[in-house]
Amino acid sequence: MNPEFHVNFPAEAETTRVLGVHRQSGGQHPALAPEVSAALLRHGPDASSGRTMPLILQGPERTENILLADLDGLPDCSPRSCRRFGGMLADALRGHSSVLFRTEDVFPGERPDDCALLHILAGYCSRQYSFDRYRAPEKACPPQRMFVEDAGSERLAALWLRQGRIVEASHRVRQMVSEPPNVLYPESMAAMALQLRDLGLVVDVLDERELRRLGMGALLGVGQGSDRPPRLVLLRWQGHSDPAAPPVAVAGKGITFDSGGLSLKTRPNMRGMKHDMAGAAVVLELLRCAAETRLPINVAGILALAENMPSGKALRPDDIIRTLSGRHVEIVSADAEGRMVLCDALSYAVTRLAPSCLIDIATLTGAMSTALGWQKAGLFSNDDRLAEALFEAGEETDERLWRMPMDEDYDTLLKTGDADLENATFGQNARSIFAAKFLEQFVDNTPWAHIDIAGTAWSDADTPMSRRGATGFGLQLLYRFLEKHAPA
Ligand code: BES
Ligand code: MN
Ligand code: ZN
């Protein structure tokens, strides 16, 4: 995870050098004799069977471990291509003991800019993560020891200080999301947030008594079926020179296990629902990054934490609860709990924090993966500029968003039965949009965006940037947004 930066790295036999070649232009490389290149082209795998090839070169003086990387796998120097290229290298280097990225080796003749190199490293490190706290680690992991040789190594090392923290934070998100629900539950997650006080963050944890006093009936309702009580965590980073400057507020759905409550999920649908707190994990680590990198803005984070369980105390379908906003919600499905905990978090943000903008991130609807798969997350917003900025940030970090509609044509989705609002419908149509419309009722005129990561927070298969499991989706994108686009 911690690359070492050198101007001159002494050659070591165990260290694998990465050589970039263009297969299409003959596979030449200044470090390879022409006949070696020619033989490789003849015998190597064709482009369709992989973009890399490990080699052991036996010279008269020493043996060299080499990885040939086909630069056709890096079509341009966009952050996305660079990250994916880095991820591919990590995968190809499994089992090697250490790796040397010498800029002149990887890019003979055409040095890419610093950012491209950093993105390659970030992609490499992202692909490295695996959750093996409760099992024997994988046998062949990508090399932990990484060396970078570049004439501008000092500059790169300085830039990596920030980038490396973000990558580490994204690993921590993945760790939290992967932790089982018997280990990670509202109180234990709140305890993790409290540790961030050491970094200069203001952290407050509201327990049931305080939640009741405030009137957060929706969050309390969702949590009341569980033996593990709900919590609301408030985190504040005051980086702006004016402490009263309106913060960017970010709220995360933190359902540490979603059984569906009395609207119990089916057996296959319940499996994996430990990851229903991925939004809250992103917010927690986002605030850590803001503090660690001393972002010059004010940021407020809200974690809406609860466990959704069936029991004699659980919320029933037909119950009507009073939300923090004062509006009443009739429970149609106890499994539509995410919008419940979030509506109180959003009301809290709007009325008590007066934010410049408000973003929520949540594994909200299964329909989101039906619509966009694991490749993109849904973006819903009442503000074009905010939506545009978030979209841009996602393109840069390869956490891609797609804007979904929520215009007044969809107002008909919002039904009033015996209360101001119903929390769900039994219809199958536009479920993700319905959930977004529901949330929109609680943000008044605040510029607001909702990111539905139900399809992207967890992956059942390896993706270019991560292995099966938690992806950490959203952290890097939101950090990028704060760093670049947030109103100062
Ligand atoms: N946490 C789920 C959404 C989810 C499903 C996330 C699959 C990740 C993977 C959410 O609380 C939920 O149960 N949503 C329901 C809403 C319905 C009851 C209106 C859904 O999507 O089916
Ligand atoms: Mn649910
Ligand atoms: Zn849920």
Side-chain angles (χ1 to χ4, degrees):
M1 249 317 289
N2 276 320
E4 279 179 27
F5 295 86
H6 296 263
V7 177
N8 264 308
F9 182 74
E12 279 181 8
E14 326 72 81
T15 302
T16 303
R17 276 169 75 188
V18 177
L19 303 187
V21 294
H22 280 288
R23 175 170 291 280
Q24 275 162 8
S25 53
Q28 305 292 333
H29 193 283
L32 293 175
E35 58 275 21
V36 176
S37 293
L40 287 175
L41 277 187
R42 246 178 291 119
H43 302 296
D46 59 37
S48 60
S49 67
R51 295 219 170 265
T52 59
M53 178 182 178
L55 265 187
I56 298 174
L57 288 189
Q58 199 102 45
E61 271 135 51
R62 58 196 178 90
T63 310
E64 271 195 292
N65 273 322
I66 285 185
L67 184 83
L68 283 191
D70 186 353
L71 292 173
D72 296 332
L74 184 64
D76 54 59
C77 269
S78 69
R80 187 151 61 93
S81 301
C82 290
R83 281 168 177 259
R84 292 187 178 193
F85 184 69
M88 176 201 69
L89 291 180
D91 214 32
L93 285 161
R94 284 182 187 284
H96 294 235
S97 65
S98 56
V99 58
L100 168 63
F101 297 110
R102 178 186 284 145
T103 316
E104 281 159 40
D105 281 350
V106 189
F107 303 101
E110 20 137 26
R111 188 191 184 285
D113 70 22
D114 288 350
C115 292
L117 295 171
L118 289 172
H119 284 300
I120 291 174
L121 289 177
Y124 181 98
C125 293
S126 289
R127 195 70 165 83
Q128 241 179 359
Y129 174 81
S130 81
F131 178 64
D132 38 36
R133 185 165 171 197
Y134 303 100
R135 65 166 187 215
E138 288 178 306
K139 279 202 202 75
C141 15
Q144 293 288 317
R145 298 185 63 211
M146 309 159 58
F147 305 103
V148 177
E149 185 189 300
D150 188 277
S153 67
E154 254 178 54
R155 204 176 55 240
L156 285 175
L159 289 168
W160 181 257
L161 275 179
R162 180 173 277 218
Q163 182 64 63
R165 282 190 197 279
I166 317 299
V167 172
E168 267 173 32
S170 123
H171 287 195
R172 273 191 298 264
V173 171
R174 288 154 82 179
Q175 187 81 16
M176 264 188 270
V177 172
S178 306
E179 282 292 355
N182 55 330
V183 173
L184 193 111
Y185 45 91
E187 280 176 290
S188 65
M189 208 169 161
M192 297 173 81
L194 282 171
Q195 289 175 359
L196 300 184
R197 281 180 174 166
D198 297 344
L199 294 171
L201 284 162
V202 180
V203 185
D204 286 306
V205 176
L206 310 189
D207 64 13
E208 308 100 294
R209 266 193 43 226
E210 286 150 307
L211 294 175
R212 221 170 292 126
R213 193 178 56 76
L214 284 168
M216 293 203 161
L219 176 59
L220 282 166
V222 170
Q224 77 193 25
S226 169
D227 287 340
R228 305 185 188 278
R231 292 285 181 268
L232 190 89
V233 178
L234 297 163
L235 303 123
R236 302 213 55 169
W237 169 244
Q238 298 286 96
H240 199 282
S241 53
D242 175 5
V248 174
V250 193
K253 168 176 173 181
I255 300 298
T256 56
F257 187 71
D258 182 10
S259 68
L262 282 178
S263 310
L264 203 65
K265 287 183 181 294
T266 61
R267 211 180 298 180
N269 283 349
M270 199 185 299
R271 172 83 175 134
M273 277 302 138
K274 67 174 179 180
H275 87 264
D276 214 16
M277 34 56 73
V282 164
V283 174
L284 190 158
E285 287 300 324
L286 181 70
L287 270 287
R288 179 206 296 275
C289 289
E292 279 185 348
T293 62
R294 316 243 131 219
L295 282 183
I297 52 172
N298 294 340
V299 190
I302 306 173
L303 319 181
L305 306 175
E307 187 183 50
N308 190 21
M309 294 292 271
S311 79
K313 294 181 296 177
L315 209 57
R316 289 160 288 251
D318 288 0
D319 277 354
I320 293 177
I321 53 110
R322 186 174 194 273
T323 63
L324 177 62
S325 72
R327 250 160 306 174
H328 288 87
V329 175
E330 183 171 6
I331 306 304
V332 171
S333 170
D335 199 10
E337 84 297 339
R339 63 200 75 179
M340 302 295 294
V341 300
L342 279 175
C343 79
D344 276 352
L346 295 176
S347 294
Y348 185 94
V350 167
T351 56
R352 302 203 163 221
L353 304 173
S356 58
C357 65
L358 173 57
I359 301 164
D360 74 76
I361 178 160
T363 46
L364 207 62
T365 60
M368 206 62 251
S369 46
T370 308
L372 299 175
W374 56 261
Q375 289 88 344
K376 287 186 178 69
L379 169 64
F380 304 78
S381 183
N382 62 4
D383 186 282
D384 290 346
R385 272 191 39 214
L386 178 59
E388 190 59 33
L390 287 165
F391 176 84
E392 278 307 318
E395 291 295 298
E396 291 173 26
T397 61
D398 200 19
E399 297 165 314
R400 307 184 76 191
L401 303 177
W402 197 254
R403 180 114 182 240
M404 302 286 287
M406 52 181 314
D407 52 79
E408 50 304 332
D409 285 354
Y410 293 97
D411 287 348
T412 55
L413 292 172
L414 293 169
K415 297 236 176 62
T416 55
D418 291 331
D420 297 314
L421 282 165
E422 290 184 348
N423 81 330
T425 57
F426 282 114
Q428 291 291 330
N429 292 342
R431 283 189 160 184
S432 305
I433 301 175
F434 174 86
K437 289 300 278 185
F438 181 91
L439 294 178
E440 191 186 25
Q441 305 308 304
F442 298 88
V443 300
D444 302 340
N445 293 321
T446 311
W448 158 79
H450 156 59
I451 302 177
D452 191 337
I453 55 170
T456 50
W458 186 271
S459 165
D460 288 327
D462 293 358
T463 70
M465 300 292 301
S466 72
R467 314 224 64 203
R468 186 202 78 89
T471 60
F473 190 102
L475 173 78
Q476 308 194 46
L477 136 82
L478 287 175
Y479 183 83
R480 185 77 189 133
F481 168 79
L482 292 182
E483 183 183 46
K484 189 174 163 196
H485 303 279

